Protein backbone atom coordinates (compact mmCIF):
# COMPACT_ATOMS: atom_id res chain seq x y z
CA UNK A 1 0.00 0.00 0.00
CA UNK A 2 1.34 3.48 -0.82
CA UNK A 3 1.65 5.94 2.07
CA UNK A 4 -1.39 7.84 0.71
CA UNK A 5 -3.46 4.68 0.89
CA UNK A 6 -2.12 3.87 4.39
CA UNK A 7 -2.97 7.36 5.62
CA UNK A 8 -6.42 7.06 4.04
CA UNK A 9 -7.03 3.75 5.79
CA UNK A 10 -6.01 5.34 9.09
CA UNK A 11 -8.25 8.39 8.52
CA UNK A 12 -11.21 6.12 7.77
CA UNK A 13 -10.61 3.59 10.55
CA UNK A 14 -13.27 4.89 12.94
CA UNK A 15 -15.77 6.25 10.40
CA UNK A 16 -19.30 5.09 11.15
CA UNK A 17 -21.03 3.47 8.18
CA UNK A 18 -24.12 5.70 8.14
CA UNK A 19 -25.15 9.13 6.84
CA UNK A 20 -23.89 11.85 9.16
CA UNK A 21 -26.94 14.06 8.68
CA UNK A 22 -29.49 11.40 9.58
CA UNK A 23 -27.51 10.39 12.67
CA UNK A 24 -27.92 13.83 14.26
CA UNK A 25 -30.25 14.51 17.17
CA UNK A 26 -33.68 15.79 16.19
CA UNK A 27 -35.02 13.01 13.99
CA UNK A 28 -38.79 12.89 14.48
CA UNK A 29 -40.39 9.64 15.67
CA UNK A 30 -41.90 7.73 12.74
CA UNK A 31 -45.54 8.38 11.95
CA UNK A 32 -47.85 5.37 12.18
CA UNK A 33 -48.23 3.21 9.10
CA UNK A 34 -51.56 3.23 7.35
CA UNK A 35 -53.95 0.84 9.08
CA UNK A 36 -57.26 0.98 7.22
CA UNK A 37 -58.85 2.72 4.25
CA UNK A 38 -57.98 6.37 3.54
CA UNK A 39 -59.26 8.97 1.11
CA UNK A 40 -57.73 12.22 -0.09
CA UNK A 41 -58.07 14.92 -2.70
CA UNK A 42 -54.34 14.54 -3.35
CA UNK A 43 -52.19 11.55 -2.42
CA UNK A 44 -48.42 11.94 -2.63
CA UNK A 45 -46.22 8.86 -2.89
CA UNK A 46 -42.79 9.40 -1.31
CA UNK A 47 -41.65 11.73 1.47
CA UNK A 48 -38.32 13.00 0.22
CA UNK A 49 -38.05 16.65 -0.80
CA UNK A 50 -40.11 16.02 -3.90
CA UNK A 51 -43.09 14.63 -2.00
CA UNK A 52 -42.85 16.99 0.95
CA UNK A 53 -42.65 20.08 -1.29
CA UNK A 54 -45.63 18.81 -3.27
CA UNK A 55 -47.71 18.36 -0.13
CA UNK A 56 -46.65 21.70 1.34
CA UNK A 57 -47.22 23.71 -1.83
CA UNK A 58 -50.57 21.97 -2.39
CA UNK A 59 -51.69 23.11 1.05
CA UNK A 60 -50.36 26.61 0.50
CA UNK A 61 -52.19 26.87 -2.82
CA UNK A 62 -55.42 25.55 -1.35
CA UNK A 63 -55.57 25.09 2.44
CA UNK A 64 -58.89 23.25 2.09
CA UNK A 65 -57.37 20.46 -0.02
CA UNK A 66 -57.15 17.12 1.78
CA UNK A 67 -53.57 15.84 1.33
CA UNK A 68 -52.13 12.46 2.31
CA UNK A 69 -48.44 11.47 2.00
CA UNK A 70 -47.51 7.79 1.91
CA UNK A 71 -43.84 6.85 2.49
CA UNK A 72 -42.36 3.34 2.21
CA UNK A 73 -39.83 3.96 5.01
CA UNK A 74 -39.41 7.25 6.90
CA UNK A 75 -39.33 10.78 5.49
CA UNK A 76 -35.90 11.64 4.12
CA UNK A 77 -34.23 8.26 4.70
CA UNK A 78 -33.17 8.14 1.01
CA UNK A 79 -31.33 10.76 -1.08
CA UNK A 80 -33.07 13.69 0.59
CA UNK A 81 -31.54 12.95 3.99
CA UNK A 82 -28.06 12.00 2.87
CA UNK A 83 -26.96 14.45 0.18
CA UNK A 84 -24.30 17.17 0.09
CA UNK A 85 -26.77 19.92 0.93
CA UNK A 86 -25.91 22.08 -2.09
CA UNK A 87 -29.23 23.81 -2.68
CA UNK A 88 -28.68 25.20 -6.16
CA UNK A 89 -30.79 27.64 -8.14
CA UNK A 90 -30.06 25.62 -11.26
CA UNK A 91 -32.99 23.61 -12.58
CA UNK A 92 -30.85 22.10 -15.31
CA UNK A 93 -28.07 20.31 -13.42
CA UNK A 94 -25.85 23.32 -13.87
CA UNK A 95 -25.59 26.24 -16.26
CA UNK A 96 -23.50 24.40 -18.88
CA UNK A 97 -25.99 21.53 -19.21
CA UNK A 98 -28.86 24.00 -19.47
CA UNK A 99 -27.03 26.01 -22.13
CA UNK A 100 -26.33 22.96 -24.26
CA UNK A 101 -29.89 21.62 -24.09
CA UNK A 102 -32.22 24.64 -23.89
CA UNK A 103 -30.19 27.65 -25.09
CA UNK A 104 -33.25 29.65 -26.12
CA UNK A 105 -34.96 29.02 -22.82
CA UNK A 106 -32.03 29.29 -20.48
CA UNK A 107 -32.68 32.86 -19.30
CA UNK A 108 -36.21 31.86 -18.30
CA UNK A 109 -34.97 28.68 -16.61
CA UNK A 110 -32.35 30.65 -14.70
CA UNK A 111 -34.92 33.24 -13.61
CA UNK A 112 -37.36 30.56 -12.50
CA UNK A 113 -34.52 28.73 -10.73
CA UNK A 114 -33.53 31.83 -8.77
CA UNK A 115 -37.17 32.48 -7.86
CA UNK A 116 -37.35 28.85 -6.73
CA UNK A 117 -34.29 29.26 -4.50
CA UNK A 118 -35.79 32.48 -3.11
CA UNK A 119 -38.98 30.51 -2.46
CA UNK A 120 -37.05 27.87 -0.51
CA UNK A 121 -35.37 30.57 1.57
CA UNK A 122 -38.73 32.25 2.25
CA UNK A 123 -40.28 28.90 3.28
CA UNK A 124 -37.39 28.14 5.62
CA UNK A 125 -37.91 31.51 7.30
CA UNK A 126 -41.74 31.35 7.30
CA UNK A 127 -41.87 28.00 9.07
CA UNK A 128 -38.76 28.59 11.20
CA UNK A 129 -36.97 25.56 9.71
CA UNK A 130 -33.63 25.24 11.46
CA UNK A 131 -31.57 23.76 8.61
CA UNK A 132 -28.56 26.07 8.53
CA UNK A 133 -29.72 27.65 5.25
CA UNK A 134 -26.85 29.92 4.17
CA UNK A 135 -26.58 31.53 0.76
CA UNK A 136 -22.84 31.15 0.52
CA UNK A 137 -22.69 30.62 -3.23
CA UNK A 138 -20.48 28.06 -4.90
CA UNK A 139 -16.89 27.96 -6.05
CA UNK A 140 -16.13 26.01 -9.17
CA UNK A 141 -12.42 25.19 -9.15
CA UNK A 142 -9.91 24.09 -11.78
CA UNK A 143 -7.54 21.40 -10.56
CA UNK A 144 -6.08 20.44 -13.95
CA UNK A 145 -4.79 22.68 -16.73
CA UNK A 146 -7.50 21.59 -19.13
CA UNK A 147 -10.24 22.73 -16.70
CA UNK A 148 -9.22 26.39 -17.17
CA UNK A 149 -10.64 26.83 -20.66
CA UNK A 150 -13.95 25.36 -19.50
CA UNK A 151 -14.03 27.71 -16.52
CA UNK A 152 -13.36 30.73 -18.71
CA UNK A 153 -16.09 29.66 -21.15
CA UNK A 154 -18.54 29.15 -18.28
CA UNK A 155 -17.71 32.59 -16.91
CA UNK A 156 -18.12 34.20 -20.33
CA UNK A 157 -21.45 32.53 -21.11
CA UNK A 158 -22.88 32.98 -17.63
CA UNK A 159 -21.95 36.67 -17.64
CA UNK A 160 -23.53 37.07 -21.07
CA UNK A 161 -26.71 35.57 -19.61
CA UNK A 162 -26.69 38.13 -16.80
CA UNK A 163 -25.47 35.92 -13.94
CA UNK A 164 -23.19 37.50 -11.40
CA UNK A 165 -20.20 35.19 -11.46
CA UNK A 166 -16.60 36.10 -10.84
CA UNK A 167 -13.52 34.60 -12.50
CA UNK A 168 -10.69 34.06 -10.01
CA UNK A 169 -7.05 33.43 -10.86
CA UNK A 170 -5.00 30.99 -8.87
CA UNK A 171 -4.03 33.44 -6.12
CA UNK A 172 -7.56 34.73 -5.70
CA UNK A 173 -9.15 31.31 -5.56
CA UNK A 174 -6.52 30.19 -3.06
CA UNK A 175 -7.31 33.28 -0.98
CA UNK A 176 -10.88 31.97 -0.76
CA UNK A 177 -9.84 28.41 0.05
CA UNK A 178 -6.25 27.33 0.11
CA UNK A 179 -5.52 24.15 -1.76
CA UNK A 180 -2.27 23.58 -3.64
CA UNK A 181 -4.31 21.78 -6.30
CA UNK A 182 -6.20 24.92 -7.39
CA UNK A 183 -5.32 26.68 -10.63
CA UNK A 184 -8.30 29.01 -10.91
CA UNK A 185 -11.98 29.28 -10.13
CA UNK A 186 -15.36 30.86 -10.72
CA UNK A 187 -17.41 32.08 -7.78
CA UNK A 188 -21.16 32.15 -8.23
CA UNK A 189 -21.99 34.25 -5.19
CA UNK A 190 -25.76 33.94 -5.13
CA UNK A 191 -26.87 30.85 -7.05
CA UNK A 192 -26.44 28.28 -4.32
CA UNK A 193 -27.19 27.91 -0.62
CA UNK A 194 -25.85 25.36 1.83
CA UNK A 195 -28.40 23.46 3.91
CA UNK A 196 -28.37 20.63 6.40
CA UNK A 197 -30.28 18.10 4.28
CA UNK A 198 -31.87 16.04 7.05
CA UNK A 199 -32.89 19.08 9.08
CA UNK A 200 -34.51 20.51 5.94
CA UNK A 201 -36.51 17.28 5.51
CA UNK A 202 -37.54 17.25 9.15
CA UNK A 203 -38.59 20.90 8.96
CA UNK A 204 -40.63 20.42 5.79
CA UNK A 205 -42.24 17.34 7.33
CA UNK A 206 -43.18 19.35 10.43
CA UNK A 207 -44.58 22.21 8.31
CA UNK A 208 -46.70 19.74 6.31
CA UNK A 209 -48.13 18.18 9.47
CA UNK A 210 -48.87 21.61 10.94
CA UNK A 211 -50.86 22.48 7.81
CA UNK A 212 -52.95 19.33 8.23
CA UNK A 213 -51.22 16.92 5.84
CA UNK A 214 -51.67 13.30 6.97
CA UNK A 215 -48.44 11.29 6.72
CA UNK A 216 -48.13 7.50 6.82
CA UNK A 217 -44.60 6.16 7.15
CA UNK A 218 -43.43 2.55 6.72
CA UNK A 219 -46.25 2.24 4.20
CA UNK A 220 -45.07 1.09 0.77
CA UNK A 221 -47.39 1.60 -2.18
CA UNK A 222 -47.41 -1.68 -4.09
CA UNK A 223 -49.63 -0.74 -7.01
CA UNK A 224 -51.73 2.08 -8.41
CA UNK A 225 -55.01 1.39 -10.18
CA UNK A 226 -57.83 3.50 -11.57
CA UNK A 227 -60.96 3.75 -9.44
CA UNK A 228 -63.93 5.70 -10.75
CA UNK A 229 -62.83 9.23 -11.51
CA UNK A 230 -59.81 8.86 -9.23
CA UNK A 231 -57.00 6.44 -8.37
CA UNK A 232 -56.35 3.82 -5.72
CA UNK A 233 -53.00 3.31 -4.01
CA UNK A 234 -52.65 -0.25 -2.75
CA UNK A 235 -50.64 -0.57 0.48
CA UNK A 236 -50.29 -3.46 2.94
CA UNK A 237 -52.30 -1.49 5.53
CA UNK A 238 -55.21 -0.63 3.25
CA UNK A 239 -56.10 1.43 0.18
CA UNK A 240 -55.82 5.18 -0.35
CA UNK A 241 -58.45 6.48 -2.75
CA UNK A 242 -57.54 9.87 -4.16
CA UNK A 243 -58.74 12.20 -6.89
CA UNK A 244 -55.15 12.97 -7.87
CA UNK A 245 -51.77 11.32 -7.22
CA UNK A 246 -48.27 12.84 -7.28
CA UNK A 247 -45.48 10.34 -7.74
CA UNK A 248 -42.37 11.55 -5.91
CA UNK A 249 -40.43 8.33 -5.64
CA UNK A 250 -36.96 9.46 -6.85
CA UNK A 251 -34.57 6.71 -7.85
CA UNK A 252 -36.83 4.19 -6.11
CA UNK A 253 -39.75 4.59 -8.46
CA UNK A 254 -40.97 1.23 -9.76
CA UNK A 255 -44.69 2.04 -9.81
CA UNK A 256 -44.90 3.50 -13.29
CA UNK A 257 -43.38 1.26 -15.94
CA UNK A 258 -42.26 4.10 -18.19
CA UNK A 259 -40.04 5.60 -15.48
CA UNK A 260 -37.90 2.47 -15.51
CA UNK A 261 -36.83 3.32 -19.06
CA UNK A 262 -35.84 6.88 -18.22
CA UNK A 263 -34.18 6.59 -14.81
CA UNK A 264 -31.29 4.49 -13.55
CA UNK A 265 -30.29 4.35 -9.87
CA UNK A 266 -26.65 5.39 -9.46
CA UNK A 267 -24.72 5.31 -6.19
CA UNK A 268 -22.94 8.44 -5.03
CA UNK A 269 -20.70 8.45 -1.92
CA UNK A 270 -19.59 10.91 0.74
CA UNK A 271 -17.36 11.24 3.79
CA UNK A 272 -17.64 13.57 6.79
CA UNK A 273 -14.63 14.70 8.85
CA UNK A 274 -14.50 15.41 12.53
CA UNK A 275 -14.99 19.13 13.35
CA UNK A 276 -11.98 21.21 12.37
CA UNK A 277 -10.12 23.07 15.11
CA UNK A 278 -9.97 26.87 14.67
CA UNK A 279 -6.30 26.65 13.61
CA UNK A 280 -7.15 24.01 10.98
CA UNK A 281 -9.96 26.17 9.60
CA UNK A 282 -7.65 29.19 9.61
CA UNK A 283 -5.08 27.19 7.61
CA UNK A 284 -7.69 26.78 4.88
CA UNK A 285 -8.89 30.38 5.00
CA UNK A 286 -12.45 29.32 4.09
CA UNK A 287 -14.02 32.56 5.41
CA UNK A 288 -16.97 32.69 3.04
CA UNK A 289 -17.87 29.02 3.57
CA UNK A 290 -18.81 28.46 -0.07
CA UNK A 291 -19.74 25.06 -1.39
CA UNK A 292 -17.02 23.85 -3.75
CA UNK A 293 -17.01 21.62 -6.80
CA UNK A 294 -14.11 20.86 -9.11
CA UNK A 295 -14.35 20.84 -12.89
CA UNK A 296 -13.46 17.20 -13.47
CA UNK A 297 -15.95 15.05 -15.33
CA UNK A 298 -15.78 12.88 -12.23
CA UNK A 299 -16.08 15.80 -9.85
CA UNK A 300 -15.74 16.18 -6.10
CA UNK A 301 -18.09 18.37 -4.08
CA UNK A 302 -17.33 19.63 -0.60
CA UNK A 303 -18.51 22.09 2.01
CA UNK A 304 -18.41 23.03 5.67
CA UNK A 305 -21.08 22.12 8.19
CA UNK A 306 -22.36 24.40 10.94
CA UNK A 307 -19.85 22.85 13.35
CA UNK A 308 -16.92 23.11 10.90
CA UNK A 309 -16.71 19.57 9.63
CA UNK A 310 -15.98 19.03 5.95
CA UNK A 311 -18.33 16.95 3.86
CA UNK A 312 -16.35 15.48 0.96
CA UNK A 313 -18.19 13.54 -1.74
CA UNK A 314 -18.56 12.61 -5.36
CA UNK A 315 -16.03 11.32 -7.92
CA UNK A 316 -17.24 7.73 -8.30
CA UNK A 317 -20.75 7.24 -9.69
CA UNK A 318 -21.54 3.54 -9.54
CA UNK A 319 -24.23 1.74 -11.48
CA UNK A 320 -24.79 -1.91 -10.64
CA UNK A 321 -26.00 -4.11 -13.51
CA UNK A 322 -29.70 -4.71 -13.07
CA UNK A 323 -30.06 -1.50 -11.06
CA UNK A 324 -31.13 -3.11 -7.80
CA UNK A 325 -31.01 -0.83 -4.74
CA UNK A 326 -29.72 -2.52 -1.56
CA UNK A 327 -28.60 -1.25 1.84
CA UNK A 328 -25.22 -3.07 1.46
CA UNK A 329 -24.40 -0.96 -1.58
CA UNK A 330 -24.53 2.18 0.55
CA UNK A 331 -21.02 1.16 1.62
CA UNK A 332 -18.11 0.86 -0.82
CA UNK A 333 -14.64 0.59 0.71
CA UNK A 334 -12.75 1.24 -2.54
CA UNK A 335 -14.62 4.50 -3.15
CA UNK A 336 -14.13 5.69 0.43
CA UNK A 337 -10.37 5.05 0.15
CA UNK A 338 -10.19 6.94 -3.14
CA UNK A 339 -12.12 9.85 -1.67
CA UNK A 340 -9.87 9.94 1.40
CA UNK A 341 -6.72 9.97 -0.76
CA UNK A 342 -8.11 12.82 -2.89
CA UNK A 343 -9.06 14.73 0.27
CA UNK A 344 -5.49 14.48 1.60
CA UNK A 345 -4.08 15.70 -1.73
CA UNK A 346 -6.48 18.65 -1.73
CA UNK A 347 -5.91 19.70 1.87
CA UNK A 348 -2.43 18.64 3.02
CA UNK A 349 -2.78 21.19 5.85
CA UNK A 350 -5.28 18.82 7.49
CA UNK A 351 -2.87 15.88 7.81
CA UNK A 352 -4.03 13.50 10.53
CA UNK A 353 -7.70 14.54 10.42
CA UNK A 354 -10.18 11.67 10.87
CA UNK A 355 -13.41 10.89 9.11
CA UNK A 356 -16.35 10.20 11.42
CA UNK A 357 -18.94 9.03 8.85
CA UNK A 358 -18.98 7.33 5.45
CA UNK A 359 -22.07 6.63 3.39
CA UNK A 360 -23.65 6.38 -0.03
CA UNK A 361 -27.05 6.77 -1.58
CA UNK A 362 -28.77 6.55 -4.92
CA UNK A 363 -29.53 9.34 -7.33
CA UNK A 364 -32.07 9.15 -10.15
CA UNK A 365 -29.92 9.58 -13.23
CA UNK A 366 -31.55 10.30 -16.59
CA UNK A 367 -29.80 10.79 -19.92
CA UNK A 368 -30.28 14.58 -19.91
CA UNK A 369 -29.22 14.98 -16.22
CA UNK A 370 -32.15 17.19 -15.28
CA UNK A 371 -35.69 16.46 -14.18
CA UNK A 372 -38.46 15.48 -16.54
CA UNK A 373 -42.18 15.54 -15.90
CA UNK A 374 -45.31 13.88 -17.09
CA UNK A 375 -48.75 12.54 -16.37
CA UNK A 376 -50.41 9.15 -16.39
CA UNK A 377 -53.88 7.68 -15.89
CA UNK A 378 -55.46 10.34 -18.10
CA UNK A 379 -53.96 13.23 -16.15
CA UNK A 380 -54.95 11.95 -12.72
CA UNK A 381 -51.32 11.20 -11.83
CA UNK A 382 -48.25 13.39 -12.30
CA UNK A 383 -44.58 12.57 -11.78
CA UNK A 384 -41.24 14.35 -11.62
CA UNK A 385 -37.98 12.40 -11.71
CA UNK A 386 -34.44 12.35 -13.10
CA UNK A 387 -32.84 15.08 -10.96
CA UNK A 388 -29.47 13.31 -11.38
CA UNK A 389 -27.72 14.50 -8.24
CA UNK A 390 -29.00 18.09 -8.23
CA UNK A 391 -32.44 17.87 -6.72
CA UNK A 392 -32.15 19.59 -3.35
CA UNK A 393 -33.42 22.86 -4.81
CA UNK A 394 -34.98 21.71 -8.09
CA UNK A 395 -37.47 19.33 -6.44
CA UNK A 396 -39.45 22.33 -5.23
CA UNK A 397 -39.81 23.52 -8.83
CA UNK A 398 -40.74 19.95 -9.82
CA UNK A 399 -43.42 19.91 -7.12
CA UNK A 400 -44.92 23.08 -8.58
CA UNK A 401 -44.88 21.51 -12.04
CA UNK A 402 -46.66 18.39 -10.77
CA UNK A 403 -49.35 20.52 -9.12
CA UNK A 404 -49.77 22.59 -12.30
CA UNK A 405 -50.15 19.40 -14.35
CA UNK A 406 -52.62 17.82 -11.92
CA UNK A 407 -54.69 20.99 -11.90
CA UNK A 408 -54.70 21.12 -15.70
CA UNK A 409 -53.21 24.61 -15.41
CA UNK A 410 -51.25 26.23 -18.22
CA UNK A 411 -48.46 28.11 -16.53
CA UNK A 412 -45.11 29.52 -17.55
CA UNK A 413 -43.64 26.33 -16.09
CA UNK A 414 -45.79 23.90 -18.06
CA UNK A 415 -45.12 25.81 -21.28
CA UNK A 416 -41.35 25.24 -21.04
CA UNK A 417 -39.69 22.98 -23.60
CA UNK A 418 -37.73 21.54 -20.68
CA UNK A 419 -40.98 20.53 -18.99
CA UNK A 420 -42.72 19.31 -22.14
CA UNK A 421 -39.86 17.15 -23.44
CA UNK A 422 -38.55 13.81 -22.16
CA UNK A 423 -35.04 12.41 -21.97
CA UNK A 424 -33.94 9.71 -24.36
CA UNK A 425 -34.64 6.39 -22.62
CA UNK A 426 -31.82 4.07 -21.58
CA UNK A 427 -31.67 0.79 -23.50
CA UNK A 428 -32.82 -2.33 -21.64
CA UNK A 429 -30.36 -4.64 -19.84
CA UNK A 430 -27.86 -6.07 -20.57
CA UNK A 431 -27.13 -3.36 -23.17
CA UNK A 432 -27.83 -0.71 -20.52
CA UNK A 433 -24.98 -1.91 -18.29
CA UNK A 434 -22.60 -2.14 -21.24
CA UNK A 435 -23.40 1.40 -22.38
CA UNK A 436 -23.04 2.85 -18.88
CA UNK A 437 -19.75 1.03 -18.16
CA UNK A 438 -18.28 2.13 -21.50
CA UNK A 439 -19.34 5.70 -20.75
CA UNK A 440 -17.82 5.61 -17.25
CA UNK A 441 -14.57 4.18 -18.62
CA UNK A 442 -14.44 6.88 -21.29
CA UNK A 443 -15.15 9.62 -18.75
CA UNK A 444 -12.33 8.38 -16.50
CA UNK A 445 -9.94 8.57 -19.47
CA UNK A 446 -11.23 12.00 -20.48
CA UNK A 447 -10.45 13.28 -17.00
CA UNK A 448 -6.73 12.80 -17.66
CA UNK A 449 -6.43 15.46 -20.33
CA UNK A 450 -9.93 16.69 -21.14
CA UNK A 451 -10.07 14.85 -24.47
CA UNK A 452 -13.39 13.14 -25.11
CA UNK A 453 -13.08 9.96 -27.13
CA UNK A 454 -15.25 9.03 -30.08
CA UNK A 455 -17.86 7.35 -27.87
CA UNK A 456 -18.32 10.46 -25.70
CA UNK A 457 -18.38 12.72 -28.75
CA UNK A 458 -21.10 10.55 -30.26
CA UNK A 459 -23.13 10.79 -27.06
CA UNK A 460 -22.53 14.56 -26.97
CA UNK A 461 -23.82 14.86 -30.52
CA UNK A 462 -26.94 12.93 -29.56
CA UNK A 463 -27.42 14.99 -26.39
CA UNK A 464 -26.99 11.90 -24.23
CA UNK A 465 -24.84 11.23 -21.25
CA UNK A 466 -24.17 9.77 -17.85
CA UNK A 467 -23.37 11.98 -14.88
CA UNK A 468 -23.84 12.26 -11.13
C1 LIG B 1 -24.73 11.10 -1.69
C2 LIG B 1 -25.65 12.08 -2.39
C3 LIG B 1 -25.26 13.43 -2.49
C4 LIG B 1 -26.10 14.34 -3.13
N1 LIG B 1 -25.76 15.67 -3.09
C5 LIG B 1 -26.61 16.59 -3.60
C6 LIG B 1 -26.35 17.99 -3.45
O1 LIG B 1 -25.40 18.40 -2.79
N2 LIG B 1 -27.22 18.85 -4.05
C7 LIG B 1 -28.32 18.44 -4.74
O2 LIG B 1 -29.05 19.27 -5.25
N3 LIG B 1 -28.62 17.12 -4.82
C8 LIG B 1 -27.82 16.20 -4.26
N4 LIG B 1 -28.14 14.89 -4.31
C9 LIG B 1 -29.42 14.51 -4.95
C10 LIG B 1 -30.62 14.86 -4.09
O3 LIG B 1 -30.44 14.33 -2.80
C11 LIG B 1 -31.88 14.30 -4.76
O4 LIG B 1 -31.98 14.86 -6.07
C12 LIG B 1 -33.15 14.62 -4.01
O5 LIG B 1 -33.03 14.31 -2.65
C13 LIG B 1 -34.30 13.84 -4.64
O6 LIG B 1 -35.44 13.94 -3.81
P1 LIG B 1 -36.67 12.99 -4.08
O7 LIG B 1 -37.70 13.34 -3.09
O8 LIG B 1 -37.02 13.04 -5.52
O9 LIG B 1 -36.13 11.50 -3.86
P2 LIG B 1 -35.82 10.69 -2.51
O10 LIG B 1 -35.17 11.52 -1.49
O11 LIG B 1 -35.09 9.46 -2.98
O12 LIG B 1 -37.23 10.29 -1.97
C14 LIG B 1 -38.07 9.36 -2.62
C15 LIG B 1 -38.93 8.71 -1.55
O13 LIG B 1 -39.95 7.94 -2.17
C16 LIG B 1 -40.18 6.81 -1.37
N5 LIG B 1 -40.81 5.76 -2.18
C17 LIG B 1 -40.33 5.20 -3.31
N6 LIG B 1 -41.18 4.26 -3.78
C18 LIG B 1 -42.23 4.24 -2.91
C19 LIG B 1 -43.42 3.47 -2.83
N7 LIG B 1 -43.70 2.55 -3.75
N8 LIG B 1 -44.28 3.70 -1.81
C20 LIG B 1 -44.01 4.65 -0.88
N9 LIG B 1 -42.89 5.40 -0.90
C21 LIG B 1 -42.00 5.20 -1.89
C22 LIG B 1 -38.78 6.40 -0.91
O14 LIG B 1 -38.84 5.57 0.22
C23 LIG B 1 -38.14 7.76 -0.65
O15 LIG B 1 -38.28 8.16 0.68
C24 LIG B 1 -27.33 13.93 -3.70
C25 LIG B 1 -27.72 12.59 -3.59
C26 LIG B 1 -26.90 11.68 -2.94
C27 LIG B 1 -27.35 10.25 -2.82
Amino acid sequence: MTSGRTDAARALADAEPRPYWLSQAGAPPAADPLGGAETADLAVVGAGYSGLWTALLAKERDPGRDVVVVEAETAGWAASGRNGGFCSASLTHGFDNGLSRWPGELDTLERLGRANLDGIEATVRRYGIDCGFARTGELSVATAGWHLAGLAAYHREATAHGLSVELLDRDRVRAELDSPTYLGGVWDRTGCAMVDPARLVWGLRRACLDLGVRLYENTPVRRITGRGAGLRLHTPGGPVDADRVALATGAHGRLLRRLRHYVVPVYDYALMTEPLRPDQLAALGWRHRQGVGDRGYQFHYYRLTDDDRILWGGYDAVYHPGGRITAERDQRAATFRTLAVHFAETFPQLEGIRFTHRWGGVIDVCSRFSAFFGTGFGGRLAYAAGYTGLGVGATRFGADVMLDLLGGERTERTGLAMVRSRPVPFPPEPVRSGVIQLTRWSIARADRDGRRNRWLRTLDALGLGFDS
Side-chain angles (χ1 to χ4, degrees):
M1 220 191 284
T2 64
S3 72
R5 295 254 143 197
T6 313
D7 292 347
R10 202 173 300 129
L12 286 164
D14 303 324
E16 290 180 45
R18 57 183 178 140
Y20 164 76
W21 308 111
L22 291 168
S23 70
Q24 299 174 100
D32 288 340
L34 181 62
E38 248 295 13
T39 59
D41 298 328
L42 172 68
V44 180
V45 187
Y49 297 133
S50 184
L52 292 171
W53 278 118
T54 306
L56 187 68
L57 291 169
K59 277 296 207 183
E60 287 186 342
R61 286 184 185 201
D62 176 3
R65 179 149 34 169
D66 195 26
V67 180
V68 163
V69 178
V70 186
E71 163 57 47
E73 302 213 10
T74 50
W77 76 277
S80 297
R82 56 179 77 198
N83 59 72
F86 285 58
C87 188
S88 173
S90 176
L91 304 175
T92 57
H93 200 266
F95 178 85
D96 293 340
N97 190 47
L99 183 64
S100 71
R101 292 177 195 279
W102 299 286
E105 205 167 68
L106 188 61
D107 290 341
T108 307
L109 289 167
E110 285 289 326
R111 172 173 54 74
L112 292 173
R114 298 213 170 223
N116 184 58
L117 183 55
D118 291 344
I120 294 173
E121 182 166 14
T123 304
V124 163
R125 305 219 183 294
R126 186 157 62 250
Y127 296 99
I129 297 175
D130 173 25
C131 64
F133 185 102
R135 216 149 167 167
T136 59
E138 185 174 1
L139 269 182
S140 196
V141 296
T143 55
W146 66 267
H147 296 171
L148 288 168
L151 263 189
Y154 161 49
H155 175 256
R156 198 171 50 246
E157 291 287 357
T159 306
H161 282 268
L163 304 192
S164 105
V165 292
E166 207 177 328
L167 189 62
L168 307 176
D169 64 16
R170 186 171 63 171
D171 289 347
R172 287 192 61 212
V173 75
R174 288 189 61 172
E176 289 301 325
L177 176 57
D178 193 11
S179 168
T181 63
Y182 293 174
L183 304 174
V186 166
W187 185 5
D188 174 356
R189 285 179 185 260
T190 56
C192 190
M194 294 297 118
V195 297
D196 177 320
R199 278 160 45 204
L200 177 58
V201 166
W202 298 337
L204 290 173
R205 179 185 183 280
R206 176 78 262 149
C208 284
L209 296 175
D210 287 349
L211 292 183
V213 171
R214 298 194 299 292
L215 167 68
Y216 298 100
E217 294 183 304
N218 295 305
T219 303
V221 175
R222 302 275 192 231
R223 222 156 40 92
I224 303 176
T225 53
R227 184 181 155 78
L231 295 175
R232 171 166 281 192
L233 308 182
H234 299 261
T235 85
V240 181
D241 290 334
D243 292 343
R244 295 284 180 271
V245 169
L247 210 53
T249 49
H252 301 257
R254 313 297 295 167
L255 290 167
L256 207 59
R257 190 180 298 270
R258 83 187 68 152
L259 292 183
R260 300 179 204 170
H261 303 302
Y262 290 129
V263 172
V264 294
V266 170
Y267 279 81
D268 186 24
Y269 294 93
L271 300 174
M272 187 68 91
T273 70
E274 60 192 339
L276 271 59
R277 296 186 311 265
D279 61 301
Q280 289 174 314
L281 192 58
L284 300 179
W286 206 340
R287 288 159 301 134
H288 294 110
R289 307 179 74 87
Q290 307 95 326
V292 185
D294 61 48
R295 296 285 297 186
Y297 295 125
Q298 301 173 102
F299 60 94
H300 305 84
Y301 53 84
Y302 40 107
R303 54 151 309 173
L304 287 168
T305 62
D306 286 356
D307 63 348
D308 295 337
R309 298 163 185 269
I310 298 177
L311 174 140
W312 176 263
Y315 194 72
D316 276 346
V318 181
Y319 173 73
H320 295 277
R324 227 158 51 82
I325 299 172
T326 67
E328 298 77 58
R329 289 176 174 169
D330 287 351
Q331 294 295 314
R332 193 164 193 267
T335 295
F336 296 135
R337 270 197 306 276
T338 302
L339 282 173
V341 168
H342 293 172
F343 180 90
E345 288 165 1
T346 304
F347 296 128
Q349 309 92 312
L350 301 181
E351 193 187 348
I353 200 161
R354 319 275 291 189
F355 295 102
T356 58
H357 295 77
R358 53 183 159 92
W359 72 94
V362 278
I363 56 178
D364 52 344
V365 171
C366 72
S367 65
R368 69 183 206 183
F369 315 150
S370 38
F372 60 93
F373 314 88
T375 58
F377 292 95
R380 288 171 288 172
L381 175 146
Y383 58 83
Y387 292 96
T388 314
L390 205 69
V392 173
T395 42
R396 179 182 177 279
F397 174 83
D400 260 329
V401 172
M402 284 196 279
L403 292 173
D404 292 349
L405 293 173
L406 288 173
E409 290 174 50
R410 287 183 173 205
T411 62
E412 185 179 29
R413 285 180 288 263
T414 60
L416 292 166
M418 185 240 185
V419 168
R420 295 161 69 90
S421 59
R422 304 265 182 291
V424 174
F426 290 101
E429 293 286 11
V431 179
R432 177 177 293 194
S433 292
V435 165
I436 291 174
Q437 301 314 353
L438 175 59
T439 308
R440 281 200 61 202
W441 177 83
S442 303
I443 286 173
R445 282 177 65 94
D447 258 333
R448 292 187 204 152
D449 55 11
R451 267 187 248 144
R452 296 174 77 78
N453 65 15
R454 190 171 299 172
W455 173 249
L456 293 179
R457 290 200 308 273
T458 306
L459 294 181
D460 291 345
L462 296 171
L464 299 175
F466 177 80
D467 205 341
S468 59

